[in-house]
Amino acid sequence: MIRIAVCDDEKGISDRIRTMISDFFCRKNMETIILQFSSGEELLKYDKTIDILFLDIQMQGLDGMETARKLRKRRFQGFLIFITILKEMVFQSFEVQAYDYLVKPIEKKYFEKTMERLFLSIKNASEANLLIQKGYESRIISLEDIVFCEIIDRKVYLQLASSEVIDFYDRIENLETKLDNRFFRCHRSFLINLRYLKSYKNGTAYMEGGKEIPVSRLRSKEFSNVILQYMKNM
């Protein structure tokens, strides 16, 4: 499930973009949630994850550029596509890492071209991301940001580099299949990201941030070999 937001103070344009988004992802057989906001202030009050944001630059009140700056300061990591009537405004978009821009009135052929590129970017990004489903909410987590995973009573806890902890229900065996070779299951309850491993001694993996994780005796020899191989490939 991809969460998409359209922020434009012109309802007609916002509705048209929503329709084009819906049609595009329907053809790709991908489920979406499409949200609409009429101002930067309204958008900034929304506290859930947004994967793709279509943002009008020229809006009354807080304009799109300043809204984007505030979002990036909050660690917004989604794809940002600006909507504008002035191409010149786009030169400011580099500082907020805009993916692309669409000029009003939005022509369908240019919209489709941008979306096809974006679709490929999403597919490529998904290979290095983990999609977390928690109830009706979904969230995309970069594998690079995961320090370790711990399972307690059928619940998985992801410890992120930012110190945030995300919990959701899953089997560790299922989670293991979704991770790449930078992760190693050193214990029946732990999967660690080797990138954050500081040292290993006497059955304990010492991680960045100070966490000490047990390594089972049955996995200790394989763990030593995996560490050596990982270092060779760095």
Side-chain angles (χ1 to χ4, degrees):
M1 183 76 73
I2 300 176
R3 191 179 295 271
I4 304 168
V6 181
C7 184
D8 196 305
D9 57 3
E10 296 182 68
K11 189 176 185 304
I13 292 176
S14 180
D15 289 344
R16 173 170 164 74
I17 294 172
R18 180 191 177 103
T19 299
M20 289 193 291
I21 292 169
S22 180
D23 290 346
F24 179 85
F25 282 105
C26 185
R27 294 198 306 271
K28 300 296 184 183
N29 294 316
M30 293 184 72
E31 292 186 50
T32 59
I33 295 174
I34 305 174
L35 307 158
Q36 290 175 275
F37 302 92
S38 59
S39 69
E41 290 87 350
E42 184 185 2
L43 174 62
L44 290 170
K45 290 177 183 177
Y46 185 73
D47 61 358
K48 293 185 174 61
T49 302
I50 295 173
D51 301 307
I52 304 170
L53 172 60
F54 291 82
L55 181 59
D56 186 17
I57 292 181
Q58 294 87 17
M59 292 188 293
Q60 292 186 5
L62 195 65
D63 67 28
M65 197 64 68
E66 187 58 31
T67 300
R69 291 190 189 102
K70 290 179 180 294
L71 286 170
R72 289 302 190 197
K73 284 181 181 178
R74 294 183 185 180
R75 298 176 62 83
F76 167 67
Q77 296 179 341
F79 292 98
L80 172 61
I81 298 172
F82 276 126
I83 307 161
T84 181
I85 57 173
L86 299 172
K87 289 184 181 180
E88 293 76 14
M89 293 291 294
V90 176
F91 292 114
Q92 300 177 40
S93 67
F94 294 108
E95 66 177 285
V96 290
Q97 297 130 32
Y99 181 81
D100 205 347
Y101 68 95
L102 295 168
V103 178
K104 297 179 182 180
I106 299 171
E107 294 186 34
K108 189 171 182 180
K109 65 178 180 179
Y110 293 120
F111 176 86
E112 293 284 332
K113 186 176 180 180
T114 291
M115 293 306 293
E116 287 293 348
R117 286 199 307 111
L118 179 58
F119 182 70
L120 285 176
S121 297
I122 291 171
K123 285 182 65 178
N124 292 336
S126 68
E127 296 175 4
N129 289 332
L130 179 66
L131 178 63
I132 303 299
Q133 195 74 34
K134 187 175 179 180
Y136 294 104
E137 297 295 326
S138 60
R139 182 171 173 183
I140 299 173
I141 305 296
S142 170
L143 299 186
E144 189 71 14
D145 293 337
I146 301 172
V147 179
F148 66 87
C149 318
E150 181 179 8
I151 187 161
I152 303 173
D153 295 332
R154 298 188 302 111
K155 205 170 196 179
V156 173
Y157 294 83
L158 298 186
Q159 176 70 56
L160 305 186
S162 64
S163 297
E164 181 184 3
V165 178
I166 300 172
D167 63 275
F168 58 99
Y169 286 101
D170 201 354
R171 290 167 53 86
I172 196 167
E173 293 82 5
N174 186 44
L175 176 62
E176 191 174 10
T177 64
K178 300 174 184 177
L179 304 176
D180 58 25
N181 58 10
R182 83 189 86 180
F183 289 86
F184 181 78
R185 188 175 175 185
C186 61
H187 185 276
R188 65 183 180 181
S189 300
F190 287 95
L191 280 157
I192 67 171
N193 187 339
L194 297 173
R195 178 183 180 278
Y196 293 98
L197 178 68
K198 290 184 67 178
S199 62
Y200 170 54
K201 184 178 180 181
N202 297 332
T204 300
Y206 297 88
M207 309 296 292
E208 289 185 19
K211 179 70 175 180
E212 298 178 10
I213 295 178
V215 178
S216 69
R217 186 169 53 83
L218 294 174
R219 297 174 185 266
S220 60
K221 183 176 180 180
E222 182 185 358
F223 186 43
S224 297
N225 292 334
V226 166
I227 293 171
L228 290 172
Q229 188 61 47
Y230 178 76
M231 291 176 68
K232 285 180 183 178
N233 294 333
M234 287 181 67

